[in-house]
Amino acid sequence: MGVCPAVSRYFRRWKYMILLLLSVSVLAWLATFAGETVKAIQDTHRSAQTLEDNAEVLRGGMQYSWKTVTQVFSNPLPDTPPPKESCPEKSPLLHGALKLTFEDSLTLKEVESENSGVAEGQYQPPDCLAQQSVAILIPHRNREKHLLYLLHHLHPFLQRQQLRYGIYVIHQAGEVTFNRAKLLNVGYLEALKDYDWDCFVFHDVDLVPENDYNLYKCDQQPKHLVVGRNATGYKLRYKGYFGGVTAMTKDQFHKVNGFSNTYWGWGGEDDDLRIRVELQKMKIIRPPPLIARYTMVFHKRDSGNEINKDRMLLLGRTPQVWRTDGLNTCSYSTLSVERPPLYINVTVDIGKPLH
Ligand SMILES: *[C@@H]1O[C@H](CO)[C@@H](O)[C@H](O)[C@H]1NC(C)=O
């Protein structure tokens, strides 16, 4: 072919030029692309970081809102205090042996002002949930001074034991012979209308506990709290004695059908309760003698509470009659229920003896 050799030389130089240009532009393109890729990777990384941050914020938010949800649920009413922890097995407030005083000048107003945490005879510990709720039942007639001394000592005593409690004074109306046992049946029935008490303490008005380790709590078995009193040289009055102050759970007392209603006058009803307890194969327990000590405030035998001469006869028939003489046959009429600051005062007509 007759191509001019000068042209072909020219063309060859151009070819190199174009090749060079092409390679340069490819390189340039590659470089930009690479730059953009790096930037893109960096961007992805950055947005991932942002996402993570957002997730963190979200998680925090969830936690916060979950907290709010649980708070709302555990606290349905704004006025109810938050749930408390149980009181410890052993109260840190106990003193042990106490110095008791029986000032002639003591007034109800003073005792009220010493017990501002008590409302309508009831109390519960301010910063923990009591292990038991206890109704103290005190049969009463014409013993205002004894009642005052007892309230004076018993309120702080029970508060140191960190109990939820209510003090019921069951006042026998009228002049017929006193019937401690029937009044205690009435107290049990009336107290359960207020609250579902775990434990009942049947308490004579003239006995004041001397040591706050003597716990007014119920146990697996019926508990007798008065081992000794100053009037008897701090010895158990007799083997099997189950009077003065005793503690039974709601179920234990229900199981024995409560006290007999037929003991009018002094004595026998506590032995009758012991027989009922034994018939149910329960066993009376007592705290150590050094702890279960009481001061018996002096008094002479009340008129209207003469010794019950029939008591031995009645005790003999307890195993036959306990099912039909007790809580299930306790008829009475409540004359009034008053709620002064320190106790619930139930005044009741319990009828009179059959003969
Ligand atoms: C028991 O102590 C009380 C209060 O100090 C007192 O009134 C009573 O007479 C004492 N009883 C006996 C038998 O010492």
Side-chain angles (χ1 to χ4, degrees), residues 143-172:
R143 295 277 196 85
E144 306 303 332
K145 198 73 195 194
H146 290 87
L147 181 61
L148 183 61
Y149 288 145
L150 183 59
L151 293 171
H152 174 57
H153 289 106
L154 209 49
H155 275 294
F157 173 96
L158 296 167
Q159 287 161 31
R160 287 197 302 275
Q161 296 190 355
Q162 296 187 311
L163 298 170
R164 174 178 187 148
Y165 70 83
I167 296 184
Y168 291 83
V169 175
I170 307 98
H171 184 92
Q172 181 174 337

Side-chain angles (χ1 to χ4, degrees), residues 102 230-231 295-298:
F102 302 92
N230 71 332
T295 293
M296 188 170 174
V297 188
F298 178 77

Side-chain angles (χ1 to χ4, degrees), residues 104-119:
D104 244 349
S105 58
L106 186 69
T107 65
L108 187 61
K109 275 272 160 285
E110 279 166 30
V111 182
E112 283 173 4
S113 65
E114 289 161 5
N115 293 283
S116 53
V118 181

Side-chain angles (χ1 to χ4, degrees), residues 65-84:
S65 45
W66 180 244
K67 249 184 236 158
T68 323
V69 167
T70 43
Q71 269 165 10
V72 166
F73 273 95
S74 60
N75 218 354
L77 300 170
D79 291 338
T80 48
K84 304 171 205 161

Side-chain angles (χ1 to χ4, degrees), residues 100-102 210 229-234 294-299:
L100 303 182
T101 56
F102 302 92
E210 294 182 6
R229 51 178 84 177
N230 71 332
T232 60
Y234 295 105
Y294 282 78
T295 293
M296 188 170 174
V297 188
F298 178 77
H299 58 86

